[in-house]
Amino acid sequence: MFPFNFEWIWDMPHMVFMGGLWYALGILGLGMTYCIIKAAVDAGKKDAGNHVGNHARNHD
């Protein structure tokens, strides 16, 4: 069922499978890219060393 297999035929079930596969891999890749970029941005902020969250500062 791989494209490099000599018996590969582009019929509807193969197109649906490959479309779903690349759709799912694309979503996972975009999610991981977002998380990596967000972690890098958060690590570069000046408050990165402060382990107290923003919500804890407002409690008196």
Side-chain angles (χ1 to χ4, degrees):
M1 186 163 201
F2 296 106
F4 52 81
N5 191 353
F6 65 91
E7 296 177 7
W8 182 266
I9 299 170
W10 280 104
D11 55 353
M12 188 54 84
H14 286 104
M15 285 192 254
V16 170
F17 172 77
M18 293 301 285
L21 173 70
W22 287 110
Y23 182 73
L25 290 175
I27 288 175
L28 290 172
L30 287 173
M32 289 298 296
T33 302
Y34 171 78
C35 291
I36 291 169
I37 290 173
K38 179 121 173 68
V41 168
D42 288 346
K45 288 184 179 178
K46 289 186 177 183
D47 285 342
N50 187 2
H51 294 288
V52 178
N54 290 334
H55 57 82
R57 292 183 196 157
N58 295 331
H59 296 292
D60 287 327

